[in-house]
Amino acid sequence: HLRPGDHYGEVGLLDGDPEPASVTATSPLLVLSCGKAGFDHILATAPGARNRVLVNAQRRRLAHRVADARPMPALPRVVAPPPVSMRRRVLLSLAATLAVVLVGAGVWFVSQRNHTTTFNLEDALSALHAGAGRGTAASPQSPTTTTAASPAATPDSSAATAAAPAVAAPATTRGTATAPSAAVPPASTAALPPVDLPAAGVYAYVTSGSDSISIGSKHQYPAETFAVLQRGDGCNWQVDHHVVDQHVDHIKRCGRAGNLMRVADASRVTFFGQTDGLEYVCDPPVPMIGDDATCAAADGSAAKYHAAVIDRPVVNVGGVGRDAIHILLTVTMTGRARGHASNQLWLDAATGMILHQIRDVDTQAHAAFGDVRYTEHAEFVLESMTPRQ
């Protein structure tokens, strides 16, 4: 039984002989036919196509042999095999071992290509309680630094790297008030005045979107994701947004009176079992809204932030209106991750929490897999200001 995206006939193209198979359509369908030249072009250019085709072809060869096999006679005649030289035995053993390794690598590649594990509420609560026992956000006067290299190289869960142009605020946005406010002061004077620190706990976001890399792997995001918020000493707090197990965004903030301070932004992404991450640390911390600011990673990579205020709407969060500041945050990145980011954010005016964000990412970076293109298109809407404990 073949489904959309499946193929047949590759054994004939690989072996040069017609494939002994019959195909019957059980419903209307559209079939793409490909000759030898086009088939060879696909194997040479499409990421992962050769491994997938070879694995499927081997399976079908085995299936054909089993189907065509004849039963053994009742009284088989035993014939002594001819003697095999030691050299031939070694070569056959090496060939068999290599074949097993290649087939295993192909099967592993196919199984890991779009491997995604969701991070549920129970996992988030466990992470919250485990983190509460270890301590949380670092002080903005002496930030800690953790480095690795991410293909996304996202400098912020609210500022993912992107080369895509900024998206204008829609007239009606899920969870966002439709009526814009009156005149808005320039970004340099539109200080965010957080007075209350957000409550520690697990926050749920209605989520849509996905991320992927250019060598053929993708994470499809679930309809609901969870962010674990923990409080530190003084004005400090941090959030680990577990979009999926294979993609976690991390931010550190300081809710000072007069502005929300950026302490650090990090992202951890896993593809094909390889996990990479990159953290940009702001030392000293810089305002989220105000003059342009640059934060750096331990390997010398840097992210330059610029935030422009769009309006000051009222955002509906779980049936409760919250005063918000709607900003367009752009980031220019240099170093191991290269490119630009654009991200729309609706920040809670009282605490600085992300109430709503629309994120677009398109960047080039050097990661464990080599130079890859990373893309992400996602939207997150906070369900409630009351966290789960």
Side-chain angles (χ1 to χ4, degrees), residues 193-221:
V195 176
D196 303 321
L197 295 182
V202 175
Y203 292 85
Y205 285 84
V206 176
T207 302
S208 61
S210 63
D211 70 348
S212 62
I213 55 176
S214 55
I215 60 174
S217 184
K218 178 180 180 180
H219 300 142
Q220 185 65 48
Y221 296 164

Side-chain angles (χ1 to χ4, degrees), residues 4-7 48-57 106 109-110 113:
D6 287 345
H7 56 269
R50 177 173 293 277
N51 286 338
R52 179 180 178 185
V53 167
L54 291 178
V55 170
N56 289 341
F109 181 89
V110 172
R113 189 166 69 92

Side-chain angles (χ1 to χ4, degrees), residues 316-321 383:
N316 187 306
V317 181
V320 178
E383 294 182 7

Side-chain angles (χ1 to χ4, degrees), residues 9-45:
E10 74 282 2
V11 175
L13 291 176
L14 290 171
D15 297 343
D17 296 323
E19 183 179 6
S22 298
V23 179
T24 302
T26 59
S27 63
L29 52 83
L30 179 65
V31 179
L32 173 64
S33 176
C34 180
K36 177 65 174 175
F39 180 73
D40 290 341
H41 177 73
I42 292 174
L43 295 185
T45 58

Side-chain angles (χ1 to χ4, degrees), residues 120-143:
N120 57 35
L121 176 60
E122 182 179 351
D123 297 329
L125 291 172
S126 296
L128 173 68
H129 300 152
R134 291 194 305 265
T136 56
S139 168
Q141 287 75 23
S142 57

Side-chain angles (χ1 to χ4, degrees), residues 69-370:
R70 298 178 180 178
M72 295 181 63
L75 297 173
R77 184 167 58 94
V78 179
V79 179
V84 180
S85 66
M86 180 60 67
R87 181 179 179 182
R88 186 179 179 186
R89 290 179 181 176
V90 172
L91 292 177
L92 289 175
S93 177
L94 291 176
T97 302
L98 180 60
V100 170
V101 170
L102 291 177
V103 171
V107 172
W108 177 87
F109 181 89
V110 172
S111 66
Q112 293 293 319
R113 189 166 69 92
N114 295 328
H115 179 66
T116 303
T117 309
T118 57
F119 190 87
N120 57 35
L121 176 60
E122 182 179 351
D123 297 329
L125 291 172
S126 296
L128 173 68
H129 300 152
R134 291 194 305 265
T136 56
S139 168
Q141 287 75 23
S142 57
T144 58
T145 305
T146 323
T147 32
S150 167
T154 37
D156 193 313
S157 72
S158 59
T161 42
V167 183
T172 303
T173 311
R174 192 172 33 165
T176 306
T178 58
S181 62
V184 177
S188 59
T189 60
L192 182 69
V195 176
D196 303 321
L197 295 182
V202 175
Y203 292 85
Y205 285 84
V206 176
T207 302
S208 61
S210 63
D211 70 348
S212 62
I213 55 176
S214 55
I215 60 174
S217 184
K218 178 180 180 180
H219 300 142
Q220 185 65 48
Y221 296 164
E224 185 179 46
T225 59
F226 299 95
V228 180
L229 189 150
Q230 295 177 344
R231 298 266 290 270
D233 58 312
C235 63
N236 298 298
W237 53 279
Q238 68 180 24
V239 174
D240 285 307
H241 191 172
H242 298 261
V243 184
V244 290
D245 270 344
Q246 291 76 23
H247 184 140
V248 181
D249 293 317
H250 177 74
I251 67 171
K252 294 180 182 179
R253 297 290 179 262
C254 169
R256 293 179 180 171
N259 209 329
L260 179 68
M261 306 301 290
R262 182 189 304 276
V263 180
D265 300 313
S267 182
R268 187 179 75 249
V269 183
T270 301
F271 287 102
F272 296 108
Q274 297 293 321
T275 300
D276 284 322
L278 184 64
E279 182 175 47
Y280 295 94
V281 175
C282 308
D283 188 11
V286 296
M288 282 284 294
I289 302 177
D291 297 333
D292 291 353
T294 300
C295 302
D299 67 350
S301 300
K304 183 177 180 180
Y305 299 89
H306 174 75
V309 177
I310 298 176
D311 57 11
R312 296 176 181 267
V314 174
V315 174
N316 187 306
V317 181
V320 178
R322 301 287 299 188
D323 291 334
I325 295 184
H326 179 196
I327 67 174
L328 175 63
L329 184 64
T330 57
V331 186
T332 301
M333 298 173 49
T334 56
R336 204 144 51 88
R338 307 169 301 279
H340 303 277
S342 63
N343 196 349
Q344 288 193 78
L345 293 171
W346 286 261
L347 300 177
D348 184 47
T351 64
M353 277 193 62
I354 298 174
L355 305 179
H356 183 186
Q357 65 172 317
I358 300 175
R359 186 158 79 200
D360 286 290
V361 180
D362 190 344
T363 187
Q364 296 287 335
H366 181 73
F369 334 95

